[in-house]
Amino acid sequence: MKLIMRSRVFLCTVFAGSIIMTGCVSQKTIDTYETQLKALEVKGVPDSLLSVVRVYISQAKGGKRSGNGTLVRASIDSVKRGLATAEQWYASTIQVSKPRVDSLLKFFNIQKSALSGMQLKEADSFLAIINSSAKTSDFFQAQVFADRLDTLLVALLQDEALAKKASAQIVGTWTMNKKHTTDGANAVEKSKVSFKKDGTFEMSEEMNGQTKPTLREDWQFLTQGIYAMKGDTILLSTHKEKCVRQVYWNLVNKKGKPDWVKNEKKPYDTVIKDGSKDRFLTFDYLKENFKK
């Protein structure tokens, strides 16, 4: 009977000891450190500094569940050191990054007044990230994108000059008539594109004749949309496409004899919203292949 009582006393002592050992670090304390970790993640502290903290927090939680107070305390001590190192890194980064980001933002806001169209759109996409990162005190990421824009700005200003020069010459109607006579072809390709001052365009493209030894084509497509200049490249955003006709003949072998099989597709007139028909051409290509 005394042995049984001693065993009960021993078990109670061990249980109480485990409570004391793990009770030194409450769940609220672990949650507080986890909140600090998440705050540093939002601020942009590199994962190389925070990954070890995550491991020790996970170990502390595991020790808490199993009643291993030694593991809990050792893990939390490591969490404290890791968070202190991350906080110190962030503080030193702020001293360097914040003034640089603030300075570059003032510079960009002055320089962007010289940009328009696609050049301005690209600069604004960087500025949106920089401002958003700075607003959440993620000056590390803000500086990364500010430095990228600082490097890109020279190219954007050059593109702006090219775009203005091309835009002054592009307005009007351009036509192309091209004969295909190589590799068994005997066809005529016609294209006409009109660029308007309001930024819209209309295009007609058609093909008629034999384009390959085994293929004949007769089709015409009409497209409408808006255009923009990225440097001297013309970006065509098609909003509407109309198929006037679309007929193909394929040369096949039927019972040992060649035969042209006709494949006629239905005309259509459709609105395009997903950008699937967008394309581009350089101003040099337009001048070399079209006549104004």
Side-chain angles (χ1 to χ4, degrees):
M1 188 68 177
K2 289 182 178 180
L3 180 61
I4 294 174
M5 290 299 294
R6 288 174 182 173
S7 297
R8 288 178 177 174
V9 171
F10 175 74
L11 289 172
C12 290
T13 302
V14 171
F15 179 69
S18 68
I19 292 176
I20 294 171
M21 289 174 69
T22 58
C24 293
V25 179
S26 67
Q27 183 60 47
K28 185 177 180 181
T29 298
I30 296 176
D31 292 342
T32 299
Y33 288 134
E34 195 164 23
T35 299
Q36 291 179 22
L37 170 65
K38 291 178 180 178
L40 290 171
E41 289 174 346
V42 172
K43 290 178 180 179
V45 175
D47 193 62
S48 58
L49 291 174
L50 299 180
S51 59
V52 66
V53 179
R54 293 192 196 95
V55 171
Y56 285 123
I57 287 178
S58 179
Q59 285 185 181
K61 289 180 177 179
K64 193 77 174 172
R65 288 192 297 269
S66 65
N68 189 338
T70 301
L71 177 62
V72 174
R73 290 195 301 275
S75 298
I76 288 301
D77 286 342
S78 296
V79 168
K80 291 178 181 178
R81 288 194 295 271
L83 289 175
T85 299
E87 290 282 6
Q88 185 178 6
W89 179 92
Y90 179 70
S92 61
T93 299
I94 287 292
Q95 290 179 356
V96 177
S97 296
K98 188 178 184 304
R100 175 162 175 77
V101 169
D102 291 342
S103 176
L104 284 174
L105 280 173
K106 291 179 182 178
F107 173 69
F108 294 149
N109 286 326
I110 295 173
Q111 293 297 311
K112 67 178 285 188
S113 62
L115 302 176
S116 64
M118 298 303 295
Q119 288 71 230
L120 178 59
K121 185 176 181 180
E122 188 169 358
D124 279 340
S125 67
F126 276 86
L127 286 170
I129 297 174
I130 298 168
N131 284 313
S132 176
S133 299
K135 191 174 292 185
T136 59
S137 298
D138 186 354
F139 287 98
F140 178 70
Q141 176 167 271
Q143 183 177 335
V144 169
F145 281 88
D147 288 339
R148 289 180 186 176
L149 181 55
D150 190 32
T151 301
L152 180 64
L153 195 57
V154 174
L156 290 178
L157 291 170
Q158 292 174 344
D159 282 347
E160 180 70 19
L162 290 172
K164 286 183 177 180
K165 183 178 180 180
S167 295
Q169 303 175 49
I170 196 175
V171 175
T173 299
W174 302 73
T175 59
M176 177 187 73
N177 290 312
K178 183 178 180 180
K179 290 184 178 181
H180 296 268
T181 57
T182 59
D183 299 325
N186 184 19
V188 176
E189 179 183 3
K190 295 180 181 180
S191 296
K192 181 172 73 172
V193 56
S194 296
F195 296 102
K196 301 179 181 180
K197 290 183 178 180
D198 62 0
T200 62
F201 78 91
E202 294 181 355
M203 180 181 286
S204 171
E205 298 170 283
E206 55 185 305
M207 178 80 76
N208 185 271
Q210 186 167 334
T211 55
K212 295 180 181 178
T214 59
L215 178 64
R216 293 175 182 170
E217 303 179 49
D218 182 18
W219 48 258
Q220 183 181 18
F221 292 90
L222 305 177
T223 55
Q224 297 177 7
I226 60 176
Y227 71 93
M229 301 299 302
K230 180 66 175 70
D232 59 354
T233 299
I234 310 164
L235 307 178
L236 303 175
S237 180
T238 300
H239 295 167
K240 186 177 181 182
E241 181 179 72
K242 179 179 181 179
C243 175
V244 179
R245 64 182 183 278
Q246 192 175 185
V247 189
Y248 304 93
W249 291 265
N250 296 97
L251 185 63
V252 299
N253 194 311
K254 283 189 176 181
K255 296 180 180 180
K257 294 182 179 180
D259 187 27
W260 289 97
V261 177
K262 184 179 180 181
N263 178 17
E264 185 171 1
K265 298 184 179 182
K266 292 183 179 181
Y268 60 80
D269 192 349
T270 185
V271 174
I272 299 170
K273 298 180 179 180
D274 61 1
S276 57
K277 297 289 184 176
D278 292 356
R279 49 183 158 162
F280 67 90
L281 67 155
T282 65
F283 187 45
D284 284 341
Y285 176 85
L286 185 71
K287 291 187 293 184
E288 290 172 5
N289 293 275
F290 288 73
K291 290 183 179 180
K292 189 175 181 182

